[in-house]
Amino acid sequence: MVSKQSDLSGLKGRIPLIGLTGGIGSGKTAVSDLLGSLGAGIVDTDLIAHQITSPKGVAIEAIKEQFGADYLDAAGALNRGKMRALVFAKPEARKNLEAITHPLIRLETIKQAKRLAAEGVPYLVFVVPLLLESGSWQGLIDQLVVVDCPEEVQITRVMQRSNLPRAEVEKILQAQAARKDRLASADIVIENQASFEKLKAEVNHLHEKILQIK
Ligand code: ATP
């Protein structure tokens, strides 16, 4: 189970390794930004996934070869909308895409984590949207933080932020782990259904708690 992230295992025991997950639009980025401003070392796998599929990103050539230039946009980045439609319709396509992206995300994750640890951050936070679904993190992380809010709040936020129709957002939610399963796996739950002010107070508390981890 640990094998996929085994190159990170050298960090285990040296500094706390925190997993941060939550459903789409729950507020993972908001929480990791706040933790980052408090001095945490943030490795955001979603950001890495975007970087490797941006124009000239390291995954672009392989994606073009596998799926055709049609799946790139005018700037040469992955056409996310088109790819999302394909992988929802064809599980095989999802597998092919992940066979390209996952090893590259893993490499970059390891690189960033090692660099941040060498810089002396007090702890590392791995932001992994599908942490529960991927199954490869459980043996590595010391504490799992789940950002949570009611599904209706997730739907409203994502519709607004990404300009997606409700049905599309609901489809994404259904493809992710169920809220109750995520909550059941959590060591720490951050409630994010109220204001940013409330969230900030919760995250300050979380930061203090993580600093206590031996
Ligand atoms: P995704 O999984 O889609 O990347 P995420 O879990 O990282 O999302 P964020 O990007 O942090 O979530 O938040 C989703 C949207 O909701 C953003 O537009 C953000 O500004 C907004 N948002 C997050 N938390 C709150 C809050 N407490 N109050 C109001 N809006 C919020």
Side-chain angles (χ1 to χ4, degrees), residues 2-73:
V2 189
S3 62
K4 286 188 186 163
Q5 304 293 340
S6 59
D7 282 335
L8 284 176
S9 60
L11 294 175
K12 196 158 170 75
R14 281 178 49 204
I15 53 171
L17 305 177
I18 309 299
L20 179 67
T21 195
I24 185 168
S26 56
K28 298 178 290 297
T29 304
V31 171
S32 63
D33 283 352
L34 288 166
L35 288 173
S37 71
L38 293 170
I42 308 293
V43 182
D44 187 332
T45 62
D46 203 26
L47 205 64
I48 294 171
H50 272 78
Q51 282 163 355
I52 67 169
T53 55
S54 63
K56 299 209 170 72
V58 290
I60 289 297
E61 266 317 304
I63 289 172
K64 194 170 153 188
E65 220 166 88
Q66 174 85 40
F67 298 97
D70 277 5
Y71 284 86
L72 303 184
D73 65 18

Side-chain angles (χ1 to χ4, degrees), residues 55-129:
K56 299 209 170 72
V58 290
I60 289 297
E61 266 317 304
I63 289 172
K64 194 170 153 188
E65 220 166 88
Q66 174 85 40
F67 298 97
D70 277 5
Y71 284 86
L72 303 184
D73 65 18
L78 172 67
N79 183 333
R80 274 164 217 294
K82 197 163 172 176
M83 185 59 83
R84 191 184 311 118
L86 180 72
V87 301
F88 267 114
K90 293 191 179 158
E92 198 55 35
R94 183 185 297 275
K95 271 199 195 139
N96 290 338
L97 178 67
E98 290 178 351
I100 295 170
T101 57
H102 282 183
L104 295 170
I105 294 170
R106 201 175 305 134
L107 273 181
E108 184 61 22
T109 296
I110 292 165
K111 195 165 112 190
Q112 290 189 12
K114 286 184 173 168
R115 196 187 61 220
L116 287 165
E119 285 170 5
V121 295
Y123 61 91
L124 284 168
V125 177
F126 297 96
V127 186
V128 187

Side-chain angles (χ1 to χ4, degrees), residues 137-171:
W137 287 87
Q138 274 83 345
L140 183 78
I141 56 177
D142 298 309
Q143 295 275 296
L144 178 61
V145 176
V146 168
V147 187
D148 182 62
C149 66
E151 288 181 350
E152 195 47 42
V153 176
Q154 284 179 266
I155 293 169
T156 310
R157 281 184 191 155
V158 177
M159 284 172 66
Q160 273 174 5
R161 184 203 53 193
S162 304
N163 210 10
L164 286 172
R166 168 175 282 270
E168 188 95 0
V169 182
E170 284 177 346
K171 215 157 75 178

